[in-house]
Amino acid sequence: MKKLVLIISMIAIIHNVSAQDKLVEPTKPEETEDYSYTPPVVSTDNEMNVPSDAVVLFDGSSLEEWQNAYSDEEAKWTLDAEEKSMTVKKGTGDIKTKKTFGSIQLHIEWRSPAKVEGKGQGRGNSGLFFQERYEVQILDNYENETYPNGQAGAIYKQYAPLVN
């Protein structure tokens, strides 16, 4: 009985393939195109020069979009409103965004320490975690040899960056 089912299935597959060869392409775009949706226009015509659909998590003036990574406590990193920067404050732990995200485009800017010390992974090392699982490496690896999937821009220990 099993042999008969297999033979019938093979005949059906062969028949479908030969039937597809005889399909005629539509001649009018309206028959295959979807005109019901127009993607929104994204501009950068604003004070911060960021895409109009961006969620700005840090504008240099506050840490209100951030919290302690392991509790609901506020982020306790050092804020420098004049420099429009935030800096890890020793002993305060990791921070995370209050909002959660799925698919994203990321723009990040960072500075390496003013005084260059250390080598390899011990030089200005940090990271940005996604979904509490993946880490984009932040590292001063300018003229600083380290393993490829540990360089700045790498998905840490998984994928090397496309460029150094």
Side-chain angles (χ1 to χ4, degrees), residues 35-46:
Y35 291 92
S36 66
Y37 171 77
T38 303
V41 174
V42 176
S43 68
T44 56
D45 187 24
N46 54 54

Side-chain angles (χ1 to χ4, degrees), residues 20-77:
Q20 288 176 351
D21 291 340
K22 296 177 185 176
L23 293 177
V24 177
E25 286 289 320
T27 57
K28 298 178 185 175
E30 296 81 18
E31 294 178 14
T32 60
E33 302 300 327
D34 180 5
Y35 291 92
S36 66
Y37 171 77
T38 303
V41 174
V42 176
S43 68
T44 56
D45 187 24
N46 54 54
E47 187 178 315
M48 291 181 61
N49 199 32
V50 297
S52 57
D53 64 340
V55 175
V56 178
L57 296 170
F58 182 70
D59 66 0
S61 66
S62 80
L63 296 172
E64 71 181 38
E65 295 290 334
W66 300 85
Q67 69 184 44
N68 182 287
Y70 308 105
S71 72
D72 290 335
E73 293 180 30
E74 64 184 49
K76 295 180 181 169
W77 286 17

Side-chain angles (χ1 to χ4, degrees), residues 9-26:
S9 296
M10 300 258 314
I11 292 170
I13 290 169
I14 292 168
H15 176 69
N16 285 339
V17 169
S18 64
Q20 288 176 351
D21 291 340
K22 296 177 185 176
L23 293 177
V24 177
E25 286 289 320

Side-chain angles (χ1 to χ4, degrees), residues 7-164:
I7 292 170
I8 291 171
S9 296
M10 300 258 314
I11 292 170
I13 290 169
I14 292 168
H15 176 69
N16 285 339
V17 169
S18 64
Q20 288 176 351
D21 291 340
K22 296 177 185 176
L23 293 177
V24 177
E25 286 289 320
T27 57
K28 298 178 185 175
E30 296 81 18
E31 294 178 14
T32 60
E33 302 300 327
D34 180 5
Y35 291 92
S36 66
Y37 171 77
T38 303
V41 174
V42 176
S43 68
T44 56
D45 187 24
N46 54 54
E47 187 178 315
M48 291 181 61
N49 199 32
V50 297
S52 57
D53 64 340
V55 175
V56 178
L57 296 170
F58 182 70
D59 66 0
S61 66
S62 80
L63 296 172
E64 71 181 38
E65 295 290 334
W66 300 85
Q67 69 184 44
N68 182 287
Y70 308 105
S71 72
D72 290 335
E73 293 180 30
E74 64 184 49
K76 295 180 181 169
W77 286 17
T78 303
L79 175 66
D80 185 334
E82 186 176 309
E83 291 283 327
K84 294 188 174 188
S85 66
M86 64 174 150
T87 305
V88 177
K89 185 175 181 181
K90 192 171 186 168
T92 62
D94 297 338
I95 62 174
K96 69 178 183 179
T97 59
K98 291 179 180 177
K99 296 176 185 164
T100 58
F101 301 91
S103 179
I104 67 161
Q105 287 183 339
L106 174 69
H107 175 85
I108 175 176
E109 296 178 16
W110 80 91
R111 287 189 290 197
S112 37
K115 184 177 179 186
V116 177
E117 294 178 339
K119 59 183 179 177
Q121 293 293 301
R123 193 162 115 184
N125 188 345
S126 193
L128 182 89
F129 285 88
F130 288 95
Q131 302 170 334
E132 299 179 6
R133 177 174 293 166
Y134 308 103
E135 178 184 6
V136 173
Q137 179 69 315
I138 299 171
L139 177 73
D140 176 11
N141 60 259
Y142 176 72
E143 296 182 353
N144 178 34
E145 193 171 322
T146 190
Y147 44 95
N149 59 0
Q151 294 182 9
I155 303 299
Y156 188 65
K157 291 202 172 182
Q158 295 183 46
Y159 299 99
L162 296 178
V163 298
N164 180 338

